Amino acid sequence: MTRYLIRRVGQTVVLLLVVSLVVFALVTRAPGGPGILLDRNMGPSEIAQMRALLGLDQPLHVQYVRWLGQVLRGNLGVSYQAGIPVLEIIGQMLPNTLVLSAAALILSLAVAIPAGVISAARPYSATDHAVTLLALFGISIPTFWLGLMLIVLFSIVLGWLPPGGMQTIGAPSSVLDLVRHLVLPAVVLGTANMALFARYTRSSTLAVLRQDYVRTARAKGLTEGAVLYRHALRNALLTIVTVVGLQLPRLVAGAAITETVFAWPGMGSLAVRAAFERDYPMIMGITLVISAVVAASSLLVDLLYGYVDPRIRYD
Amino acid sequence: MRTALVAGLVLLALLASAWPASAQGATFSLPLIDNARMWPLVGGLPNILVNKVVYSTLVKYDPKDWTPVGDLAERWTVSEDRLTWTFHLRRAVTWHDGKPLTARDVKFTIERLWLNPQVPFFQRANVQDISRVDVVDDHTVRIATKVPFATLPVMLGYLANILPEHVLGSYTPDQLRNPVDFLRSPIGTGPFRFGESVLGSHIRLVAYDRYFLGRPRLDAIVFRVVADVEQQLAQLQTGQLDLMIIEPHQVPTVQRMPNVQIVDAPQVNYAFVGLNHKAEPFGDRKVRQALALAVDRKAILDRIYLGKGRLATGPINPLVGWAYTDAVDQYPYDPARAQRLLDEAGWTRGSDGIRRKGGQPLRFTLDFDRGNPVREQTAVVVRQYWRDIGVDVELRVSEFNAFLSRIRTRPNPLQAWVLWYITPPEADLLGYYHSQGTLNEFGYANPEVDQLLEKGRATFDQKERARIYQQAQKLIAADAPVLYLVYPAEIQALARRIQGWVPMGYRDALTHMVGVSAAR
C-alpha cells in the first residue's frame, strides 16, 4: 500500500512537470503576446522595457526554469492582468467554482436518479421514451444557448432571478442571495450531466433488475417500489458513483462556458480571460492547480475502490 | 417525480421574491471585461477606466471643446523660452487617507515613476520630453522640458494619474513594478475612493467626502466584471448595469429597453484601413489614392456604422476644433477615377480582370481582427470595392492580440489592415505620422510633413499652430497614407435613471463624475 502510494505520487509529479512544460510551450508560442504589452500608445522602447521587466526577453527554457524555481518555492508569480499573486487569485476563485459545480452535481443527481429508475422500472414505456428524449435534448443543447434562454425567461421576462454574477453588490451577503444567483448557472451546468447520469442509472438499474436476488425479492412478495429502491438501486448506485467520480476533475476545472455566460467569478471564466490576455503566470498557475487536483482526485477514487471492493489489491 | 416538480416550483417561487437591483443609496454600475489592477502605470481598458475615478490628473478635458482645463492644477503658465512650465495646484486636495496633496507628489510621480527607466510606464512616449521637475512650494511645481513642447498640458491629461509619494516614496523599484500591497487598497485623489474588490466579480468605489470639488452626488460606483456582451445586455435590461458601450447592430435591441437611452458620445478617434508604405504597391501615391477613391465610405458610414459618426478626412478628429479642417482632398467615391489612376501607375487589367504590372499581379492581404462586427464588415466591403477595380485582395482574420502584435512588429509584416485609433485631443500627430515616429506603423515618410509636425510641437501661439496643422492635414490628405474611413461616435447605452452624465466618450466622461446622480 505504502509502496503503491509512493509510486503513484512519483508518477503524479512527473505528470505535472510534463503538463506544465507542454502548456508553457503552447502558450508562449501562440501568436500574439501578453495584452499588457499591446497598448496602442506604447512605443517600441516601452514595450521592450516591459518585456525585460517581465523576463520575457530571456530564452524560453530560461523562462521556464525560472517559473519552475518559483513554483518549488511555493510562488506561482504575479498575474500580468490583475497585478496580484496568482495563488491568491486562484484561492479566491476556486471556492466559487466548487460551489457552482457542487450545486450542479447535486441538482443533476437529484433529477437523474429518480428519472433513471422510473425509466428502468417500465422500459420502453411512454415515460421511458419521454425521459430518453429529454436526456437526448439535455446532452445536445449548447450550453451558451440554454443559458441565454434561461436568462431571457427568468431574468428579463419574469424578473425572478438575477441574470448573472454571484452576489447583489452592496447588499449584505446572504445564503439566499447566493442561491438566487446560483440557480440558473447550476441548472445549465447540471443539464448535460443530468442526462448522462439518467442514462447510466437506467442501464445499470436494468442490469440489476435481471439479477437472481431481485427475482427472489419479488417472490418474497415485496412491493415493486421496495424492490426498486431497496435492492436494485443500491447496487446500481455503484456504477453511478464511478461515473460521478470520473466527473470530479470537471468540478474543479469549472465550466468555462457556463461561467462566462453568467459572469460567474470562477476558474473557468478566469482561464478564458487569461488565455485571451496571454497572462502567462495565470495560465500556468491555473493549469498546475487543476492538474494537481485531477491527479489527486483520481488517486483518491482508486483508493476508495479498494476500500469499497475488497477484491481490488494494491501491489 | 411530481413531488420533486412541486418542490422545485415552490423553491423557485421563494427565490423569486424581488431581488434587490442595487444596494442602498444611489449607485452607478458599469461593466469591465476583466479584473482591473488600479495601477496607472500600466494599460488595459479595465484598469484605465477604474483609474479615471480613483485618481486625478493635473489637467482634464473640457466637455465643450476638449481643451485642457484644470484638474489637480488650477492654472499654468509657460516661461519666455518655452522650456519651463509652472503649474499652480489646487489647495485643499487630499488623498483618500486624508493626507494633503502637495507639489512633491507631482515631482515624485513624474521623476520617480514616469521617467524612471526601472519602472514600466506605458505612456512614457507622451512625456519623455520632460527633463526635470522642481518643487517651488507646496502648491507650485515647475516642469522643465528638453525642447519646447506645446502639447504638454494635453499630455498631462492623457492617462497621466498623479500617485501619492507619502505611500509609494519608500518603495523599491522592484516593489513599484508589482505594488501588491498598494493595490489591495489603492489611494488616490479622485471623487471615489476604494471600497472593496472581489476578484472576478466587481470593484466597488465609494464617494470620497473630502473630494476637492465637493462630495460626489452618487454614493458609489460599481465596476462589474462581465466579459460576455449578452450578459452585459441582460444586466443593463434588469438594471444591474447603468451603462454599456454597444456596437451599431445592438442598437435595435437596446432601443426596445424602456429603462435605457442611447447616447452617441463624441470621442477623439478615427477608423481607417492602414497601408504599409514599405511594401509594394503602397509606396506609390497614385495606387493609394486609387484605393481611397474606390471605396464608398459614405455607404460604410450609413450601413455599417448606422450613420453614427462622421466621414473622416484625415487623422485629426473634428473635435479638435481649433486645428481641424476639411478643406483637403476628400476622395469621394469615384471608381472610374480610381481605375484611371491605376492605369497611369502602370497597373493594367488583364483578361482575368486582375491588374498587373511587369507580370506581377496587384495582389495583397487585408488583415482584421475577429469578433468586432464593424471591422469584420468593413474588411469584407472594402475588399469587394477593391476587387471591383481589379485588385486581388485576400482577407485574413486573426485573434485580436495576435493581430496587434503583428502590427507592432518592425518591420511591419502586414500589407493592409482595418483598425482604429483613439488619440489625445490634440493635433500633434508626431508619433504616428513623422517618419521617425515611434508609433508610425504605416512607414509613412514625407519630409515636409515631418517639418510641420516638429514645428507644430514647438509653436505656442494657437493661431499659428492651427495654420501649421491645417497645412499638415492638406499634405497628409494629398498623400493618402491610409484610407481614412469614419470618426465613429461611441454608442453608449445609458440607464434613464442616470442624471448629469457628461456626453463624452466614457474614458473621459468618467473624469466628470462628481455631478452625476441616479434616481433610485
Side-chain angles (χ1 to χ4, degrees):
Chain A
M1 181 75 189
T2 319
R3 282 237 311 279
Y4 171 79
L5 260 181
I6 290 171
R7 199 172 69 223
R8 283 291 304 259
V9 169
Q11 283 169 350
T12 303
V13 170
V14 173
L15 177 81
L16 291 184
L17 263 177
V18 172
V19 167
S20 71
L21 197 57
V22 169
V23 170
F24 185 82
L26 279 176
V27 296
T28 48
R29 279 192 165 72
I36 195 168
L37 299 173
L38 291 174
D39 187 274
R40 302 290 311 283
N41 299 309
M42 265 164 96
S45 60
E46 284 81 53
I47 295 176
Q49 192 192 29
M50 191 86 96
R51 286 181 65 87
L53 289 170
L54 296 174
L56 296 170
D57 54 341
Q58 302 289 324
L60 283 182
H61 64 272
V62 174
Q63 288 183 42
Y64 178 75
V65 170
R66 252 191 211 173
W67 176 81
L68 198 61
Q70 272 188 339
V71 171
L72 294 176
R73 289 194 297 274
N75 173 8
L76 292 182
V78 174
S79 155
Y80 294 164
Q81 220 41 32
I84 290 178
V86 167
L87 206 53
E88 210 173 303
I89 299 176
I90 292 176
Q92 282 195 39
M93 297 297 198
L94 194 53
N96 300 346
T97 289
L98 290 177
V99 165
L100 173 60
S101 304
L105 183 69
I106 292 165
L107 193 73
S108 56
L109 289 174
V111 174
I113 290 174
V117 172
I118 289 167
S119 270
R122 297 193 188 72
Y124 311 111
S125 65
T127 321
D128 181 24
H129 285 312
V131 170
T132 305
L133 196 67
L134 276 176
L136 194 63
F137 267 107
I139 290 180
S140 319
I141 280 180
T143 309
F144 69 92
W145 184 84
L146 178 64
L148 284 177
M149 288 305 113
L150 292 182
I151 290 170
V152 168
L153 179 61
F154 288 103
S155 308
I156 291 171
V157 176
L158 297 170
W160 288 1
L161 295 166
M166 196 172 142
Q167 63 190 103
T168 302
I169 295 160
S173 58
S174 67
V175 173
L176 184 66
D177 187 53
L178 176 68
V179 172
R180 274 199 197 112
H181 285 85
L182 189 59
V183 174
L184 294 184
V187 167
V188 169
L189 187 56
T191 298
N193 275 346
M194 220 177 273
L196 192 73
F197 294 158
R199 297 301 294 162
Y200 272 109
T201 309
R202 177 182 181 273
S203 56
S204 57
T205 310
L206 273 178
V208 172
L209 284 175
R210 284 194 284 269
Q211 302 281 348
D212 290 347
Y213 62 84
V214 172
R215 198 180 327 150
T216 311
R218 283 188 178 139
K220 285 194 306 192
L222 285 183
T223 61
E224 192 59 20
V227 170
L228 266 178
Y229 284 98
R230 201 171 313 151
H231 292 275
L233 180 61
R234 276 176 71 170
N235 287 301
L237 273 179
L238 271 178
T239 317
I240 296 161
V241 167
T242 310
V243 177
V244 172
L246 290 173
Q247 298 289 329
L248 269 186
R250 283 186 51 193
L251 284 187
V252 181
I257 297 173
T258 307
E259 286 185 359
T260 303
V261 167
F262 288 98
W264 187 266
M267 297 283 280
S269 50
L270 183 71
V272 170
R273 288 301 317 165
F276 270 119
E277 293 293 346
R278 312 284 196 285
D279 191 337
Y280 300 151
M282 198 74 237
I283 299 170
M284 296 299 294
I286 294 172
T287 309
L288 193 70
V289 168
I290 288 177
S291 317
V293 171
V294 169
S297 63
S298 85
L299 179 58
L300 194 71
V301 169
D302 287 352
L303 292 176
L304 274 178
Y305 275 149
Y307 183 73
V308 171
D309 189 340
R311 287 171 302 182
I312 297 176
R313 281 274 162 272
Y314 298 106
D315 344 287
Chain B
M1 192 72 196
R2 200 172 304 156
T3 340
L5 205 67
V6 171
L9 279 175
V10 168
L11 190 68
L12 249 183
L14 268 177
L15 293 174
S17 49
W19 44 276
S22 78
Q24 298 311 299
T27 301
F28 177 80
S29 302
L30 64 160
L32 300 175
I33 59 162
D34 206 342
N35 291 313
R37 190 192 275 241
M38 298 180 282
W39 183 239
L41 301 187
V42 298
L45 188 58
N47 183 38
I48 286 169
L49 293 171
V50 177
N51 294 343
K52 297 279 181 190
V53 283
V54 174
Y55 302 102
S56 312
T57 39
L58 285 171
V59 305
K60 58 186 179 185
Y61 307 126
D62 188 330
K64 287 195 302 293
D65 57 8
W66 293 82
T67 55
V69 291
D71 192 16
L72 290 174
E74 232 162 12
R75 53 198 172 84
W76 53 90
T77 55
V78 64
S79 65
E80 203 58 40
D81 64 1
R82 298 169 313 164
L83 289 171
T84 310
W85 297 75
T86 306
F87 283 83
H88 300 273
L89 306 180
R90 272 176 207 280
R91 282 150 204 273
V93 177
T94 53
W95 294 99
H96 294 154
D97 60 2
K99 295 271 194 315
L101 169 120
T102 71
R104 282 191 307 280
D105 293 308
V106 177
K107 178 179 168 73
F108 165 79
T109 301
I110 298 179
E111 287 187 346
R112 295 265 318 278
L113 301 176
W114 295 355
L115 302 176
N116 180 353
Q118 292 183 294
V119 178
F121 175 42
F122 78 123
Q123 297 293 314
R124 183 159 298 151
N126 293 338
V127 293
Q128 61 195 13
D129 281 343
I130 296 176
S131 56
R132 46 187 262 263
V133 181
D134 294 313
V135 171
V136 179
D137 61 41
D138 273 358
H139 302 286
T140 317
V141 65
R142 279 210 192 99
I143 301 179
T145 59
K146 299 170 192 164
V147 289
F149 183 37
T151 324
L152 182 72
V154 172
M155 291 308 177
L156 291 175
Y158 196 72
L159 305 172
N161 297 126
I162 302 298
L163 286 155
E165 187 201 25
H166 69 273
V167 183
L168 299 168
S170 58
Y171 278 47
T172 62
D174 219 25
Q175 287 172 306
L176 288 171
R177 286 198 280 272
N178 271 320
V180 174
D181 294 334
F182 179 76
L183 300 186
R184 286 191 215 285
S185 177
I187 290 167
T189 50
F192 292 85
R193 62 184 171 79
F194 179 75
E196 66 168 354
S197 169
V198 179
L199 284 174
S201 170
H202 65 275
I203 291 174
R204 188 161 183 272
L205 307 170
V206 291
Y208 179 48
D209 290 334
R210 296 178 58 195
Y211 179 55
F212 56 82
L213 296 178
R215 185 191 184 276
R217 299 180 63 187
L218 289 165
D219 288 347
I221 292 186
V222 170
F223 290 90
R224 302 183 69 121
V225 180
V226 184
D228 185 70
V229 172
E230 304 295 336
Q231 175 66 228
Q232 284 187 18
L233 283 166
Q235 294 199 10
L236 184 70
Q237 189 155 4
T238 56
Q240 286 172 300
L241 284 174
D242 296 306
L243 172 77
M244 74 177 273
I245 308 304
I246 58 170
E247 294 290 333
H249 75 277
Q250 292 160 331
V251 168
T253 307
V254 172
Q255 275 171 334
R256 285 194 294 271
M257 299 181 188
N259 57 328
V260 180
Q261 59 182 320
I262 289 181
V263 179
D264 296 340
Q267 180 166 266
V268 183
N269 60 3
Y270 60 99
F272 63 89
V273 181
L275 306 172
N276 184 352
H277 295 219
K278 300 237 158 74
E280 274 307 308
F282 306 111
D284 185 340
R285 179 157 83 168
K286 278 188 172 159
V287 173
R288 297 194 304 264
Q289 290 173 331
L291 293 174
L293 288 164
V295 173
D296 187 350
R297 296 169 308 133
K298 182 84 176 64
I300 289 177
L301 172 61
D302 290 344
R303 301 211 186 114
I304 297 179
Y305 288 87
L306 298 184
K308 292 182 180 292
R310 292 175 57 166
L311 277 186
T313 55
I316 295 179
N317 187 296
L319 293 169
V320 188
W322 60 267
Y324 176 78
T325 176
D326 60 5
V328 299
D329 293 337
Q330 294 220 9
Y331 304 96
Y333 181 50
D334 191 346
R337 202 173 132 221
Q339 307 249 33
R340 278 201 305 280
L341 278 170
L342 286 178
D343 286 337
E344 285 169 29
W347 295 94
T348 49
R349 256 184 137 136
S351 54
D352 59 354
I354 306 287
R355 290 177 177 275
R356 283 186 174 72
K357 185 177 180 177
Q360 284 296 318
L362 183 47
R363 176 180 298 153
F364 57 84
T365 304
L366 176 62
D367 273 273
F368 63 103
D369 64 293
R370 188 191 308 282
N372 178 282
V374 164
R375 289 194 294 280
E376 285 176 353
Q377 292 164 21
T378 300
V380 171
V381 168
V382 165
R383 172 197 194 208
Q384 190 53 50
Y385 282 126
W386 284 348
R387 289 199 149 193
D388 291 344
I389 58 165
V391 183
D392 185 12
V393 184
E394 289 206 6
L395 290 182
R396 180 170 58 173
V397 62
S398 27
E399 185 262 355
F400 189 59
N401 273 26
F403 172 62
L404 270 192
S405 67
R406 278 207 195 99
I407 292 176
R408 308 308 307 270
T409 308
R410 293 291 174 269
N412 185 343
L414 301 183
Q415 296 169 292
W417 60 98
V418 181
L419 205 56
W420 86 105
Y421 256 121
I422 294 174
T423 63
E426 238 302 331
D428 184 345
L429 309 164
L430 200 118
Y432 309 90
Y433 290 90
H434 191 286
S435 57
Q436 304 303 315
T438 53
L439 303 171
N440 185 342
E441 64 205 32
F442 318 117
Y444 173 61
N446 177 334
E448 265 187 285
V449 171
D450 282 359
Q451 269 183 355
L452 285 168
L453 294 180
E454 288 163 23
K455 211 164 113 190
R457 184 167 274 200
T459 304
F460 283 65
D461 177 72
Q462 193 83 332
K463 283 209 181 68
E464 179 60 23
R465 285 192 89 204
R467 271 198 295 278
I468 292 167
Y469 285 119
Q470 280 160 6
Q471 184 56 29
Q473 283 169 85
K474 285 192 172 65
L475 289 175
I476 289 174
D479 277 338
V482 311
L483 187 51
Y484 297 104
L485 296 171
V486 175
Y487 302 118
E490 181 183 83
I491 313 171
Q492 300 171 342
L494 180 70
R496 290 188 189 277
R497 67 186 199 99
I498 300 298
Q499 308 291 320
W501 175 255
V502 175
M504 300 172 95
Y506 75 147
R507 287 169 182 75
D508 290 290
L510 284 171
T511 66
H512 298 277
M513 286 305 288
V514 72
V516 175
S517 61
R520 290 277 187 85

